[in-house]
């Protein structure tokens, strides 16, 4: 069973709350020095654990694993209408092999730096269309 910090535990037990749960994404880019894109689908920037996560149209599929217990996989998708991700993908081999961290945080716990969920993945492949990068 997963334990939560006191602020999150209190919020999850309320019938109604003004706090919300927010997804945060970290995508490493192999530049010198290394760059880390920190993004959130939240409409405003989020400060968490000393880092700022910028608003960006990004999301992911449900994490799933097969019946043999293999490692979970997930599809991460970001908007690509403005093509701002294309330069990075082309310059760095589609980011194949780069680490990605997906976290779920509660706004009541932003100051503590405690996430509800933190999963680490590696980019296995990427595709780009006129509308999105997956």
């Amino acid at each position: 069973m997963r334990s939560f910090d006191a602020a999150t535990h209190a919020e999850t037990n309320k019938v109604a709350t003004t706090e919300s749960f927010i997804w945060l994404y970290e995508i490493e880019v192999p530049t010198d020095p290394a760059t880390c894109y920190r993004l959130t689908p939240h409409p405003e920037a989020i400060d968490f654990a000393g880092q700022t996560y910028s608003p960006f149209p990004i999301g992911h599929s449900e994490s799933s694993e097969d019946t043999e217990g293999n490692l979970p996989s997930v599809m991460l998708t970001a908007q690509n209408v403005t093509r701002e991700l294309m330069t990075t993908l082309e310059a760095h081999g589609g980011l194949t092999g780069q680490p990605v961290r997906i976290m779920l945080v509660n706004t009541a716990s932003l100051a503590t730096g405690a996430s509800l969920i933190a999963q680490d993945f590696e980019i296995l492949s990427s595709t780009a269309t006129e509308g999105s990068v997956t």
Side-chain angles (χ1 to χ4, degrees):
M1 182 169 163
R2 188 164 195 14
S3 61
F4 302 123
D5 66 3
T8 298
H9 184 70
E11 285 302 316
T12 59
N13 287 322
K14 287 182 180 177
V15 174
T17 180
T18 58
E19 304 300 330
S20 62
F21 297 93
I22 301 170
W23 289 104
L24 303 176
Y25 302 89
E26 294 179 352
I27 305 164
E28 286 193 31
V29 180
T31 55
D32 187 23
T35 301
C36 185
Y37 290 163
R38 290 182 176 88
L39 308 171
T40 180
H42 193 69
E44 299 171 6
I46 299 295
D47 290 323
F48 176 73
Q51 302 295 332
T52 300
Y53 293 78
S54 300
F56 196 84
I58 189 169
H60 66 280
S61 66
E62 185 175 319
S63 179
S64 62
E65 57 185 65
D66 61 25
T67 56
E68 284 79 44
N70 291 321
L71 294 174
S73 63
V74 66
M75 298 288 286
L76 181 65
T77 303
Q79 180 180 319
N80 189 39
V81 175
T82 60
R83 309 287 193 277
E84 56 195 296
L85 299 176
M86 291 307 298
T87 302
T88 300
L89 289 175
E90 290 172 357
H92 302 287
L95 297 178
T96 301
Q98 291 305 117
V100 173
R101 173 169 274 194
I102 300 174
M103 295 177 286
L104 180 64
V105 299
N106 183 281
T107 54
S109 301
L110 292 176
T112 69
S115 63
L116 298 171
I117 298 171
Q119 290 184 300
D120 294 317
F121 297 93
E122 179 182 316
I123 297 175
L124 300 178
S125 66
S126 62
T127 58
T129 68
E130 65 280 351
S132 65
V133 171
T134 301

